[in-house]
Amino acid sequence: MLQGLLTNPLAEPYTLGIAAGAAFGGALGFFFGSFAVTPMAFAGAMAALWLVSLIAARSGGGAAYIVLAGIITNAILSAGVTFLKAIADDRLSAIVLWLMGSLSGASPLSALSVWGAALILFIPAFIYARQIDAVSLSEGQGALLGIDEKKLRGLLLALSSLATAAAVSFFGIIGFVGLVVPHLMRTFTGPATRPLLVFSFLGGGLLLALADGAAQNLGELPVGVITALIGGPFFCWILMGRRRGA
């Protein structure tokens, strides 16, 4: 959804700084107690979205500026997380383990919360799929068809931040799933948003389940480590494959 909405193949919650905002807020929450991690992660994600929107608006306001603002915000907040780890003392191990991304603490409540947040994003994205298709053609194309691009981006970016914060607050940062899976699914479904949403939803869950199974068989490793190890090289393989086919 983000890749189409921002007309950028690298757009995802991590490159946009949303996940880094949730990570910073959640890490800060450890200083107040484990009960504060989830609400602080939500606050961090929404604050990151506000900062990205502010920087993008002051820079030019287009989709390209949103991605650039996200990269800047991600760098700032990642430095903030590093600072929090440096002063964490006895909380350091808990923060580091959480940031690596793990499903070991999963519960029915956390599963229902993430499912609910995912559906809150999935349903509007599915409804506005045709508008996303139009916007994804090029910057300003949606406006020619009577689509309020600014309003559409604002709504879906806010819902994306909510869904990302829900996942990060319970399970930490599990990277590359949102970047690799849509590219892989697009080779089977084509660029149309609706089928891509459905297959990415299912494919992302399948990849995460397989990665978690591998993590447990390797000695209860954080699942984020596995997705990073397989996601980076796989994404490079996709890019090189597209280059050879061009």
Side-chain angles (χ1 to χ4, degrees):
M1 185 272 290
L2 289 174
Q3 290 167 9
L5 195 65
L6 300 176
T7 62
N8 191 309
L10 297 179
E12 63 147 348
Y14 301 94
T15 56
L16 292 177
I18 299 171
F24 179 80
L28 188 61
F30 277 96
F31 288 81
F32 300 96
S34 58
F35 68 91
V37 173
T38 297
M40 291 292 286
F42 276 101
M46 298 310 295
L49 177 61
W50 173 81
L51 182 59
V52 168
S53 301
L54 178 64
I55 295 172
R58 295 292 179 89
S59 303
Y65 289 100
I66 293 177
V67 176
L68 291 174
I71 294 172
I72 294 169
T73 301
N74 183 69
I76 294 171
L77 293 174
S78 295
V81 171
T82 301
F83 172 75
L84 291 177
K85 289 192 292 186
I87 64 173
D89 295 329
D90 57 332
R91 307 178 187 89
L92 179 60
S93 59
I95 293 175
V96 170
L97 183 61
W98 176 74
L99 288 173
M100 289 172 124
S102 175
L103 303 181
S104 59
S107 66
L109 174 61
S110 61
L112 287 174
S113 298
V114 174
W115 264 100
L119 291 176
I120 287 174
L121 173 63
F122 182 87
I123 293 172
F126 194 84
I127 293 172
Y128 288 109
R130 290 187 181 276
Q131 287 91 325
I132 296 173
D133 286 337
V135 170
S136 68
L137 294 176
S138 66
E139 181 77 18
Q141 183 66 36
L144 297 176
L145 300 174
I147 299 170
D148 189 338
E149 293 187 10
K150 185 176 180 180
K151 183 177 180 180
L152 181 66
R153 285 197 186 101
L155 171 65
L156 294 181
L157 280 171
L159 293 176
S160 179
S161 298
L162 175 65
T164 301
V168 172
S169 64
F170 285 108
F171 305 116
I173 293 181
I174 303 175
F176 283 101
V177 177
L179 188 62
V180 172
V181 172
H183 282 276
L184 181 61
M185 294 297 103
R186 196 175 282 111
T187 61
F188 299 104
T189 68
T193 299
R194 278 183 178 160
L196 186 59
L197 280 171
V198 174
F199 281 92
S200 294
F201 191 89
L202 298 174
L206 177 60
L207 175 61
L208 189 56
L210 293 174
D212 185 52
Q216 292 187 32
N217 287 328
L218 292 174
E220 297 295 332
L221 290 175
V223 67
V225 174
I226 301 299
T227 59
L229 287 173
I230 66 175
F234 187 71
F235 186 54
C236 291
W237 178 78
I238 293 175
L239 290 178
M240 290 187 292
R242 287 176 177 271
R243 177 67 178 173
R244 287 194 298 268

